[in-house]
Amino acid sequence: NILDIVVNNDLELDGYGACEGTLTCSTCHLIFSKDVFDNLPDKPTEEEIDMLDLAQERGPTSRLGCQII
Ligand code: FES
């Protein structure tokens, strides 16, 4: 998933993925363009939606990067 890409490539995204994909933070919040969002392979789970509610500047095409396979 996107979290693995960030971690495996040592990308410097400050604080990204603080909970390491356990859905207890929202630091992996990503905002996609509508096209990309519509073509993501899965839909957010209830748990992801609850955590997204806490994300800053959440928009209609927001997802948590660690939940996207
Ligand atoms: Fe914490 Fe995604 S890394 S919710």
Side-chain angles (χ1 to χ4, degrees):
N1 68 32
I2 293 174
L3 178 60
D4 294 330
I5 296 171
V6 173
V7 171
N8 294 341
N9 292 287
D10 261 339
L11 299 179
E12 299 256 345
L13 290 181
D14 221 13
Y16 185 95
C19 78
E20 301 182 341
T22 58
L23 267 185
T24 52
C25 73
S26 54
T27 60
C28 61
H29 178 209
L30 299 172
I31 299 174
F32 291 95
S33 66
K34 175 105 177 72
D35 301 5
V36 174
F37 183 81
D38 288 344
N39 286 302
L40 290 172
D42 60 351
K43 297 283 168 246
T45 60
E46 287 288 308
E47 290 79 12
E48 180 180 345
I49 291 168
D50 287 349
M51 194 49 64
L52 270 171
D53 287 339
L54 305 177
Q56 285 182 13
E57 295 176 43
R58 180 187 174 187
T61 59
S62 289
R63 290 292 306 269
L64 292 178
C66 70
Q67 302 302 306
I68 299 168
I69 315 283

